[in-house]
Amino acid sequence: MKNLIYIFLFSLAFSVNAQKNLNELLKKFNTENIPYITSNDLNKLIQQSIISTQNNDQIILLDSREPKEYKVSHINNAICVGYDHFNIRETIKKLPVNKNTKIIVYCSLGIRSEDIAEKLKKTGYTNIYNLYGGIFEWKNQGNQVVNKQQNTTEKIHTFNKEWSKWLLKGEKIY
């Protein structure tokens, strides 16, 4: 029993420390002009409504990672818009005309996604959120991701070895 308590306390301390470090990382790179949405809150929204690429959706998920990252895995029904070669005109064609549609943008950790969300905001979209901790935190919280064949997978493209430290659950792919 004593060992279980130690394990629990160690896990709790690690989780709190990891969260604090993620907060510091995001503050370092982000302006926070786009509000965050947590994995838990996104999961609740997903359970309440259907996310797809139809123009009558209540929620649109945009993956701002590169296509090679998206092919390894992504949140189900997310639209890949990329980052390095992001094209605002092509992206807007994939979005509903209603500029108040809820749009959630994510990347690996929430840094690139903020940049893409800010570009969308400049075009008049008003209901945009950045997924806090990105797909890494999504997976760390035990949520599912799918591969290019739409099959559930444990694999997550971690961009590079340095960023891979933020993925605590799942199989790291570079």
mmCIF file with all atom_site columns, all heavy atoms in Angstrom, residues 119-138:
data_model
loop_
_atom_site.group_PDB
_atom_site.id
_atom_site.type_symbol
_atom_site.label_atom_id
_atom_site.label_alt_id
_atom_site.label_comp_id
_atom_site.label_asym_id
_atom_site.label_entity_id
_atom_site.label_seq_id
_atom_site.pdbx_PDB_ins_code
_atom_site.Cartn_x
_atom_site.Cartn_y
_atom_site.Cartn_z
_atom_site.occupancy
_atom_site.B_iso_or_equiv
_atom_site.pdbx_formal_charge
_atom_site.auth_seq_id
_atom_site.auth_comp_id
_atom_site.auth_asym_id
_atom_site.auth_atom_id
_atom_site.pdbx_PDB_model_num
ATOM 1   N N   . LYS A 1 119 ? -4.310  33.892 -38.411 1.00 0.00 ? 119 LYS A N   1
ATOM 2   C CA  . LYS A 1 119 ? -4.558  34.214 -39.826 1.00 0.00 ? 119 LYS A CA  1
ATOM 3   C C   . LYS A 1 119 ? -6.038  34.089 -40.149 1.00 0.00 ? 119 LYS A C   1
ATOM 4   O O   . LYS A 1 119 ? -6.595  34.917 -40.878 1.00 0.00 ? 119 LYS A O   1
ATOM 5   C CB  . LYS A 1 119 ? -3.718  33.316 -40.731 1.00 0.00 ? 119 LYS A CB  1
ATOM 6   C CG  . LYS A 1 119 ? -2.241  33.636 -40.656 1.00 0.00 ? 119 LYS A CG  1
ATOM 7   C CD  . LYS A 1 119 ? -1.408  32.685 -41.490 1.00 0.00 ? 119 LYS A CD  1
ATOM 8   C CE  . LYS A 1 119 ? 0.069   33.039 -41.323 1.00 0.00 ? 119 LYS A CE  1
ATOM 9   N NZ  . LYS A 1 119 ? 0.951   32.177 -42.101 1.00 0.00 ? 119 LYS A NZ  1
ATOM 10  N N   . LEU A 1 120 ? -6.677  33.065 -39.610 1.00 0.00 ? 120 LEU A N   1
ATOM 11  C CA  . LEU A 1 120 ? -8.120  32.901 -39.826 1.00 0.00 ? 120 LEU A CA  1
ATOM 12  C C   . LEU A 1 120 ? -8.906  34.035 -39.163 1.00 0.00 ? 120 LEU A C   1
ATOM 13  O O   . LEU A 1 120 ? -9.874  34.537 -39.731 1.00 0.00 ? 120 LEU A O   1
ATOM 14  C CB  . LEU A 1 120 ? -8.594  31.553 -39.283 1.00 0.00 ? 120 LEU A CB  1
ATOM 15  C CG  . LEU A 1 120 ? -8.171  30.332 -40.083 1.00 0.00 ? 120 LEU A CG  1
ATOM 16  C CD1 . LEU A 1 120 ? -8.469  29.060 -39.315 1.00 0.00 ? 120 LEU A CD1 1
ATOM 17  C CD2 . LEU A 1 120 ? -8.870  30.318 -41.439 1.00 0.00 ? 120 LEU A CD2 1
ATOM 18  N N   . LYS A 1 121 ? -8.483  34.425 -38.003 1.00 0.00 ? 121 LYS A N   1
ATOM 19  C CA  . LYS A 1 121 ? -9.147  35.516 -37.284 1.00 0.00 ? 121 LYS A CA  1
ATOM 20  C C   . LYS A 1 121 ? -9.097  36.809 -38.101 1.00 0.00 ? 121 LYS A C   1
ATOM 21  O O   . LYS A 1 121 ? -10.078 37.554 -38.154 1.00 0.00 ? 121 LYS A O   1
ATOM 22  C CB  . LYS A 1 121 ? -8.484  35.719 -35.917 1.00 0.00 ? 121 LYS A CB  1
ATOM 23  C CG  . LYS A 1 121 ? -9.179  36.709 -35.026 1.00 0.00 ? 121 LYS A CG  1
ATOM 24  C CD  . LYS A 1 121 ? -8.499  36.762 -33.658 1.00 0.00 ? 121 LYS A CD  1
ATOM 25  C CE  . LYS A 1 121 ? -9.188  37.785 -32.769 1.00 0.00 ? 121 LYS A CE  1
ATOM 26  N NZ  . LYS A 1 121 ? -8.538  37.845 -31.452 1.00 0.00 ? 121 LYS A NZ  1
ATOM 27  N N   . LYS A 1 122 ? -7.979  37.055 -38.766 1.00 0.00 ? 122 LYS A N   1
ATOM 28  C CA  . LYS A 1 122 ? -7.833  38.258 -39.584 1.00 0.00 ? 122 LYS A CA  1
ATOM 29  C C   . LYS A 1 122 ? -8.798  38.272 -40.768 1.00 0.00 ? 122 LYS A C   1
ATOM 30  O O   . LYS A 1 122 ? -9.112  39.336 -41.292 1.00 0.00 ? 122 LYS A O   1
ATOM 31  C CB  . LYS A 1 122 ? -6.395  38.392 -40.089 1.00 0.00 ? 122 LYS A CB  1
ATOM 32  C CG  . LYS A 1 122 ? -5.429  38.809 -39.012 1.00 0.00 ? 122 LYS A CG  1
ATOM 33  C CD  . LYS A 1 122 ? -4.008  38.908 -39.547 1.00 0.00 ? 122 LYS A CD  1
ATOM 34  C CE  . LYS A 1 122 ? -3.050  39.247 -38.417 1.00 0.00 ? 122 LYS A CE  1
ATOM 35  N NZ  . LYS A 1 122 ? -1.656  39.241 -38.867 1.00 0.00 ? 122 LYS A NZ  1
ATOM 36  N N   . THR A 1 123 ? -9.292  37.106 -41.179 1.00 0.00 ? 123 THR A N   1
ATOM 37  C CA  . THR A 1 123 ? -10.249 37.049 -42.283 1.00 0.00 ? 123 THR A CA  1
ATOM 38  C C   . THR A 1 123 ? -11.690 37.206 -41.796 1.00 0.00 ? 123 THR A C   1
ATOM 39  O O   . THR A 1 123 ? -12.607 37.178 -42.608 1.00 0.00 ? 123 THR A O   1
ATOM 40  C CB  . THR A 1 123 ? -10.128 35.728 -43.079 1.00 0.00 ? 123 THR A CB  1
ATOM 41  O OG1 . THR A 1 123 ? -10.563 34.646 -42.265 1.00 0.00 ? 123 THR A OG1 1
ATOM 42  C CG2 . THR A 1 123 ? -8.721  35.511 -43.581 1.00 0.00 ? 123 THR A CG2 1
ATOM 43  N N   . GLY A 1 124 ? -11.864 37.331 -40.478 1.00 0.00 ? 124 GLY A N   1
ATOM 44  C CA  . GLY A 1 124 ? -13.201 37.584 -39.957 1.00 0.00 ? 124 GLY A CA  1
ATOM 45  C C   . GLY A 1 124 ? -13.818 36.451 -39.166 1.00 0.00 ? 124 GLY A C   1
ATOM 46  O O   . GLY A 1 124 ? -14.912 36.613 -38.616 1.00 0.00 ? 124 GLY A O   1
ATOM 47  N N   . TYR A 1 125 ? -13.167 35.299 -39.079 1.00 0.00 ? 125 TYR A N   1
ATOM 48  C CA  . TYR A 1 125 ? -13.711 34.217 -38.249 1.00 0.00 ? 125 TYR A CA  1
ATOM 49  C C   . TYR A 1 125 ? -13.594 34.635 -36.792 1.00 0.00 ? 125 TYR A C   1
ATOM 50  O O   . TYR A 1 125 ? -12.565 35.156 -36.356 1.00 0.00 ? 125 TYR A O   1
ATOM 51  C CB  . TYR A 1 125 ? -13.004 32.889 -38.529 1.00 0.00 ? 125 TYR A CB  1
ATOM 52  C CG  . TYR A 1 125 ? -13.462 32.289 -39.837 1.00 0.00 ? 125 TYR A CG  1
ATOM 53  C CD1 . TYR A 1 125 ? -12.807 32.580 -41.026 1.00 0.00 ? 125 TYR A CD1 1
ATOM 54  C CD2 . TYR A 1 125 ? -14.592 31.485 -39.880 1.00 0.00 ? 125 TYR A CD2 1
ATOM 55  C CE1 . TYR A 1 125 ? -13.261 32.072 -42.233 1.00 0.00 ? 125 TYR A CE1 1
ATOM 56  C CE2 . TYR A 1 125 ? -15.052 30.964 -41.074 1.00 0.00 ? 125 TYR A CE2 1
ATOM 57  C CZ  . TYR A 1 125 ? -14.382 31.268 -42.255 1.00 0.00 ? 125 TYR A CZ  1
ATOM 58  O OH  . TYR A 1 125 ? -14.843 30.761 -43.438 1.00 0.00 ? 125 TYR A OH  1
ATOM 59  N N   . THR A 1 126 ? -14.665 34.415 -36.027 1.00 0.00 ? 126 THR A N   1
ATOM 60  C CA  . THR A 1 126 ? -14.745 34.990 -34.684 1.00 0.00 ? 126 THR A CA  1
ATOM 61  C C   . THR A 1 126 ? -14.755 33.957 -33.557 1.00 0.00 ? 126 THR A C   1
ATOM 62  O O   . THR A 1 126 ? -14.630 34.343 -32.397 1.00 0.00 ? 126 THR A O   1
ATOM 63  C CB  . THR A 1 126 ? -16.025 35.830 -34.559 1.00 0.00 ? 126 THR A CB  1
ATOM 64  O OG1 . THR A 1 126 ? -17.157 34.984 -34.819 1.00 0.00 ? 126 THR A OG1 1
ATOM 65  C CG2 . THR A 1 126 ? -16.013 37.003 -35.527 1.00 0.00 ? 126 THR A CG2 1
ATOM 66  N N   . ASN A 1 127 ? -14.904 32.700 -33.887 1.00 0.00 ? 127 ASN A N   1
ATOM 67  C CA  . ASN A 1 127 ? -15.096 31.669 -32.874 1.00 0.00 ? 127 ASN A CA  1
ATOM 68  C C   . ASN A 1 127 ? -13.999 30.605 -33.001 1.00 0.00 ? 127 ASN A C   1
ATOM 69  O O   . ASN A 1 127 ? -14.280 29.446 -33.219 1.00 0.00 ? 127 ASN A O   1
ATOM 70  C CB  . ASN A 1 127 ? -16.490 31.060 -33.048 1.00 0.00 ? 127 ASN A CB  1
ATOM 71  C CG  . ASN A 1 127 ? -16.997 30.392 -31.801 1.00 0.00 ? 127 ASN A CG  1
ATOM 72  O OD1 . ASN A 1 127 ? -16.385 30.430 -30.744 1.00 0.00 ? 127 ASN A OD1 1
ATOM 73  N ND2 . ASN A 1 127 ? -18.150 29.737 -31.936 1.00 0.00 ? 127 ASN A ND2 1
ATOM 74  N N   . ILE A 1 128 ? -12.755 31.052 -32.840 1.00 0.00 ? 128 ILE A N   1
ATOM 75  C CA  . ILE A 1 128 ? -11.595 30.193 -33.090 1.00 0.00 ? 128 ILE A CA  1
ATOM 76  C C   . ILE A 1 128 ? -10.898 29.882 -31.770 1.00 0.00 ? 128 ILE A C   1
ATOM 77  O O   . ILE A 1 128 ? -10.706 30.771 -30.940 1.00 0.00 ? 128 ILE A O   1
ATOM 78  C CB  . ILE A 1 128 ? -10.589 30.873 -34.041 1.00 0.00 ? 128 ILE A CB  1
ATOM 79  C CG1 . ILE A 1 128 ? -11.289 31.283 -35.331 1.00 0.00 ? 128 ILE A CG1 1
ATOM 80  C CG2 . ILE A 1 128 ? -9.405  29.960 -34.334 1.00 0.00 ? 128 ILE A CG2 1
ATOM 81  C CD1 . ILE A 1 128 ? -10.438 32.153 -36.219 1.00 0.00 ? 128 ILE A CD1 1
ATOM 82  N N   . TYR A 1 129 ? -10.491 28.617 -31.623 1.00 0.00 ? 129 TYR A N   1
ATOM 83  C CA  . TYR A 1 129 ? -9.785  28.167 -30.430 1.00 0.00 ? 129 TYR A CA  1
ATOM 84  C C   . TYR A 1 129 ? -8.529  27.406 -30.819 1.00 0.00 ? 129 TYR A C   1
ATOM 85  O O   . TYR A 1 129 ? -8.473  26.770 -31.875 1.00 0.00 ? 129 TYR A O   1
ATOM 86  C CB  . TYR A 1 129 ? -10.679 27.254 -29.580 1.00 0.00 ? 129 TYR A CB  1
ATOM 87  C CG  . TYR A 1 129 ? -11.878 27.986 -29.035 1.00 0.00 ? 129 TYR A CG  1
ATOM 88  C CD1 . TYR A 1 129 ? -13.036 28.110 -29.797 1.00 0.00 ? 129 TYR A CD1 1
ATOM 89  C CD2 . TYR A 1 129 ? -11.831 28.575 -27.779 1.00 0.00 ? 129 TYR A CD2 1
ATOM 90  C CE1 . TYR A 1 129 ? -14.125 28.809 -29.311 1.00 0.00 ? 129 TYR A CE1 1
ATOM 91  C CE2 . TYR A 1 129 ? -12.922 29.269 -27.288 1.00 0.00 ? 129 TYR A CE2 1
ATOM 92  C CZ  . TYR A 1 129 ? -14.066 29.382 -28.060 1.00 0.00 ? 129 TYR A CZ  1
ATOM 93  O OH  . TYR A 1 129 ? -15.129 30.075 -27.586 1.00 0.00 ? 129 TYR A OH  1
ATOM 94  N N   . ASN A 1 130 ? -7.546  27.458 -29.932 1.00 0.00 ? 130 ASN A N   1
ATOM 95  C CA  . ASN A 1 130 ? -6.295  26.738 -30.091 1.00 0.00 ? 130 ASN A CA  1
ATOM 96  C C   . ASN A 1 130 ? -6.301  25.591 -29.076 1.00 0.00 ? 130 ASN A C   1
ATOM 97  O O   . ASN A 1 130 ? -6.486  25.826 -27.883 1.00 0.00 ? 130 ASN A O   1
ATOM 98  C CB  . ASN A 1 130 ? -5.120  27.695 -29.819 1.00 0.00 ? 130 ASN A CB  1
ATOM 99  C CG  . ASN A 1 130 ? -3.767  27.073 -30.061 1.00 0.00 ? 130 ASN A CG  1
ATOM 100 O OD1 . ASN A 1 130 ? -3.646  25.970 -30.569 1.00 0.00 ? 130 ASN A OD1 1
ATOM 101 N ND2 . ASN A 1 130 ? -2.727  27.801 -29.680 1.00 0.00 ? 130 ASN A ND2 1
ATOM 102 N N   . LEU A 1 131 ? -6.102  24.353 -29.550 1.00 0.00 ? 131 LEU A N   1
ATOM 103 C CA  . LEU A 1 131 ? -6.112  23.197 -28.649 1.00 0.00 ? 131 LEU A CA  1
ATOM 104 C C   . LEU A 1 131 ? -4.862  23.231 -27.769 1.00 0.00 ? 131 LEU A C   1
ATOM 105 O O   . LEU A 1 131 ? -3.744  23.096 -28.255 1.00 0.00 ? 131 LEU A O   1
ATOM 106 C CB  . LEU A 1 131 ? -6.185  21.888 -29.432 1.00 0.00 ? 131 LEU A CB  1
ATOM 107 C CG  . LEU A 1 131 ? -6.207  20.612 -28.588 1.00 0.00 ? 131 LEU A CG  1
ATOM 108 C CD1 . LEU A 1 131 ? -7.411  20.586 -27.641 1.00 0.00 ? 131 LEU A CD1 1
ATOM 109 C CD2 . LEU A 1 131 ? -6.221  19.383 -29.496 1.00 0.00 ? 131 LEU A CD2 1
ATOM 110 N N   . TYR A 1 132 ? -5.066  23.424 -26.486 1.00 0.00 ? 132 TYR A N   1
ATOM 111 C CA  . TYR A 1 132 ? -3.973  23.516 -25.523 1.00 0.00 ? 132 TYR A CA  1
ATOM 112 C C   . TYR A 1 132 ? -3.165  22.217 -25.515 1.00 0.00 ? 132 TYR A C   1
ATOM 113 O O   . TYR A 1 132 ? -3.709  21.144 -25.284 1.00 0.00 ? 132 TYR A O   1
ATOM 114 C CB  . TYR A 1 132 ? -4.525  23.789 -24.120 1.00 0.00 ? 132 TYR A CB  1
ATOM 115 C CG  . TYR A 1 132 ? -3.440  23.875 -23.074 1.00 0.00 ? 132 TYR A CG  1
ATOM 116 C CD1 . TYR A 1 132 ? -2.821  25.089 -22.814 1.00 0.00 ? 132 TYR A CD1 1
ATOM 117 C CD2 . TYR A 1 132 ? -3.026  22.750 -22.377 1.00 0.00 ? 132 TYR A CD2 1
ATOM 118 C CE1 . TYR A 1 132 ? -1.809  25.184 -21.867 1.00 0.00 ? 132 TYR A CE1 1
ATOM 119 C CE2 . TYR A 1 132 ? -2.013  22.831 -21.435 1.00 0.00 ? 132 TYR A CE2 1
ATOM 120 C CZ  . TYR A 1 132 ? -1.411  24.042 -21.203 1.00 0.00 ? 132 TYR A CZ  1
ATOM 121 O OH  . TYR A 1 132 ? -0.406  24.131 -20.273 1.00 0.00 ? 132 TYR A OH  1
ATOM 122 N N   . GLY A 1 133 ? -1.876  22.332 -25.803 1.00 0.00 ? 133 GLY A N   1
ATOM 123 C CA  . GLY A 1 133 ? -1.003  21.166 -25.806 1.00 0.00 ? 133 GLY A CA  1
ATOM 124 C C   . GLY A 1 133 ? -1.099  20.334 -27.068 1.00 0.00 ? 133 GLY A C   1
ATOM 125 O O   . GLY A 1 133 ? -0.423  19.316 -27.185 1.00 0.00 ? 133 GLY A O   1
ATOM 126 N N   . GLY A 1 134 ? -1.953  20.749 -27.997 1.00 0.00 ? 134 GLY A N   1
ATOM 127 C CA  . GLY A 1 134 ? -2.077  20.098 -29.299 1.00 0.00 ? 134 GLY A CA  1
ATOM 128 C C   . GLY A 1 134 ? -2.408  18.616 -29.235 1.00 0.00 ? 134 GLY A C   1
ATOM 129 O O   . GLY A 1 134 ? -2.988  18.122 -28.271 1.00 0.00 ? 134 GLY A O   1
ATOM 130 N N   . ILE A 1 135 ? -2.019  17.923 -30.296 1.00 0.00 ? 135 ILE A N   1
ATOM 131 C CA  . ILE A 1 135 ? -2.323  16.493 -30.398 1.00 0.00 ? 135 ILE A CA  1
ATOM 132 C C   . ILE A 1 135 ? -1.555  15.697 -29.348 1.00 0.00 ? 135 ILE A C   1
ATOM 133 O O   . ILE A 1 135 ? -1.997  14.639 -28.912 1.00 0.00 ? 135 ILE A O   1
ATOM 134 C CB  . ILE A 1 135 ? -2.071  15.956 -31.829 1.00 0.00 ? 135 ILE A CB  1
ATOM 135 C CG1 . ILE A 1 135 ? -2.754  14.601 -32.022 1.00 0.00 ? 135 ILE A CG1 1
ATOM 136 C CG2 . ILE A 1 135 ? -0.583  15.921 -32.145 1.00 0.00 ? 135 ILE A CG2 1
ATOM 137 C CD1 . ILE A 1 135 ? -2.780  14.117 -33.464 1.00 0.00 ? 135 ILE A CD1 1
ATOM 138 N N   . PHE A 1 136 ? -0.388  16.225 -28.888 1.00 0.00 ? 136 PHE A N   1
ATOM 139 C CA  . PHE A 1 136 ? 0.358   15.528 -27.839 1.00 0.00 ? 136 PHE A CA  1
ATOM 140 C C   . PHE A 1 136 ? -0.475  15.452 -26.560 1.00 0.00 ? 136 PHE A C   1
ATOM 141 O O   . PHE A 1 136 ? -0.617  14.391 -25.964 1.00 0.00 ? 136 PHE A O   1
ATOM 142 C CB  . PHE A 1 136 ? 1.679   16.230 -27.537 1.00 0.00 ? 136 PHE A CB  1
ATOM 143 C CG  . PHE A 1 136 ? 2.722   16.145 -28.616 1.00 0.00 ? 136 PHE A CG  1
ATOM 144 C CD1 . PHE A 1 136 ? 2.477   15.571 -29.851 1.00 0.00 ? 136 PHE A CD1 1
ATOM 145 C CD2 . PHE A 1 136 ? 3.974   16.666 -28.392 1.00 0.00 ? 136 PHE A CD2 1
ATOM 146 C CE1 . PHE A 1 136 ? 3.448   15.515 -30.835 1.00 0.00 ? 136 PHE A CE1 1
ATOM 147 C CE2 . PHE A 1 136 ? 4.961   16.606 -29.365 1.00 0.00 ? 136 PHE A CE2 1
ATOM 148 C CZ  . PHE A 1 136 ? 4.699   16.032 -30.593 1.00 0.00 ? 136 PHE A CZ  1
ATOM 149 N N   . GLU A 1 137 ? -1.015  16.582 -26.141 1.00 0.00 ? 137 GLU A N   1
ATOM 150 C CA  . GLU A 1 137 ? -1.819  16.596 -24.920 1.00 0.00 ? 137 GLU A CA  1
ATOM 151 C C   . GLU A 1 137 ? -3.124  15.814 -25.126 1.00 0.00 ? 137 GLU A C   1
ATOM 152 O O   . GLU A 1 137 ? -3.600  15.145 -24.203 1.00 0.00 ? 137 GLU A O   1
ATOM 153 C CB  . GLU A 1 137 ? -2.108  18.037 -24.489 1.00 0.00 ? 137 GLU A CB  1
ATOM 154 C CG  . GLU A 1 137 ? -2.752  18.174 -23.143 1.00 0.00 ? 137 GLU A CG  1
ATOM 155 C CD  . GLU A 1 137 ? -1.898  17.684 -21.975 1.00 0.00 ? 137 GLU A CD  1
ATOM 156 O OE1 . GLU A 1 137 ? -0.675  17.489 -22.138 1.00 0.00 ? 137 GLU A OE1 1
ATOM 157 O OE2 . GLU A 1 137 ? -2.472  17.462 -20.890 1.00 0.00 ? 137 GLU A OE2 1
ATOM 158 N N   . TRP A 1 138 ? -3.673  15.892 -26.327 1.00 0.00 ? 138 TRP A N   1
ATOM 159 C CA  . TRP A 1 138 ? -4.867  15.110 -26.667 1.00 0.00 ? 138 TRP A CA  1
ATOM 160 C C   . TRP A 1 138 ? -4.594  13.630 -26.412 1.00 0.00 ? 138 TRP A C   1
ATOM 161 O O   . TRP A 1 138 ? -5.377  12.939 -25.755 1.00 0.00 ? 138 TRP A O   1
ATOM 162 C CB  . TRP A 1 138 ? -5.245  15.361 -28.120 1.00 0.00 ? 138 TRP A CB  1
ATOM 163 C CG  . TRP A 1 138 ? -6.399  14.582 -28.645 1.00 0.00 ? 138 TRP A CG  1
ATOM 164 C CD1 . TRP A 1 138 ? -6.339  13.470 -29.437 1.00 0.00 ? 138 TRP A CD1 1
ATOM 165 C CD2 . TRP A 1 138 ? -7.792  14.828 -28.432 1.00 0.00 ? 138 TRP A CD2 1
ATOM 166 N NE1 . TRP A 1 138 ? -7.595  13.011 -29.723 1.00 0.00 ? 138 TRP A NE1 1
ATOM 167 C CE2 . TRP A 1 138 ? -8.514  13.836 -29.112 1.00 0.00 ? 138 TRP A CE2 1
ATOM 168 C CE3 . TRP A 1 138 ? -8.479  15.800 -27.727 1.00 0.00 ? 138 TRP A CE3 1
ATOM 169 C CZ2 . TRP A 1 138 ? -9.883  13.788 -29.121 1.00 0.00 ? 138 TRP A CZ2 1
ATOM 170 C CZ3 . TRP A 1 138 ? -9.869  15.752 -27.737 1.00 0.00 ? 138 TRP A CZ3 1
ATOM 171 C CH2 . TRP A 1 138 ? -10.561 14.752 -28.423 1.00 0.00 ? 138 TRP A CH2 1
#
